Amino acid sequence: MHDPLHGIADPAHAVHRSILCVDVQGYGGRANWDQLAVRSVLFKALPEALADSGVPAKSLRFEDRGDGALVLVQPDVPKERLAGPFPLKLAASLERHNSSAPPGACIKLRVAVHAGEVIYDAYGVAGSAIVAASRLLDAKPLRDALRTAPGAVALITSDWFYEEVVRQCPTCDAAAYRSVHVSVKETNTRGWVRLPGGS
């Protein structure tokens, strides 16, 4: 699941990537064995949902974040695949798991979607686009939405991603998103929240 630098000749230069950040709700309060169970499901469901959405494994870079993951997607992958089929497929996969899992191994996920320039170094990736995605993931409206969501996923996109990708794509269901204000640390911006899946 981890890639090299995709043939980048000079990692000192920024490159464009689509960015997914995911975080498991309530991860830190679980017993160690439940954390392991949750991670096993997460790192199986995430790449499968992406593959089922037309995002090939060779176009992905995963970074383990303990209670979640950072996923970078190569620019050759149409961004509408991340806003159209992917949220529904991920939610359906997690909801199938939750239907038979013990309480400690049930999963609800916050997902943030953005795109922008990232820069690689020996430790991973950095850049303002990565920071922006992380701030979206921590937004209170997203946390509140997941807490009361009927399904297993609450998704937020950046304003740029919504305007340039979601609104322009007939299969991305733009009407399912609602505008929210994001205020996290130094970030004050608008995001767009969707609750895919659930009954």
Side-chain angles (χ1 to χ4, degrees), residues 18-153:
S18 296
I19 302 164
L20 292 174
C21 291
V22 304
D23 184 88
V24 177
Q25 181 187 62
Y27 180 86
R30 302 173 195 247
N32 289 347
W33 55 86
D34 286 331
Q35 291 184 5
L36 290 175
V38 164
R39 285 170 55 81
S40 176
V41 173
L42 173 65
F43 285 105
K44 180 174 184 290
L46 198 52
E48 286 182 354
L50 286 163
D52 289 346
S53 303
V55 183
K58 65 181 178 61
S59 296
L60 299 172
R61 176 190 173 100
F62 283 77
E63 287 193 5
D64 181 1
R65 295 295 172 99
D67 58 353
L70 168 67
V71 185
L72 300 180
V73 185
Q74 288 273 81
D76 60 320
V77 176
K79 292 177 177 63
E80 64 188 48
R81 294 180 185 173
L82 302 177
F86 169 68
L88 294 170
K89 291 183 181 296
L90 180 61
S93 176
L94 296 180
E95 286 159 22
R96 283 194 300 271
H97 163 77
N98 290 346
S99 68
S100 59
C106 287
I107 303 176
K108 294 185 83 171
L109 276 186
R110 301 194 318 280
V111 180
V113 184
H114 184 39
E117 300 297 293
V118 304
I119 190 162
Y120 289 79
D121 65 12
Y123 309 102
V125 290
S128 60
I130 300 292
V131 173
S134 299
R135 299 295 184 258
L136 290 169
L137 190 67
D138 284 339
K140 185 177 185 298
L142 183 66
R143 292 178 180 273
D144 292 344
L146 183 60
R147 197 170 295 116
T148 59
V153 172

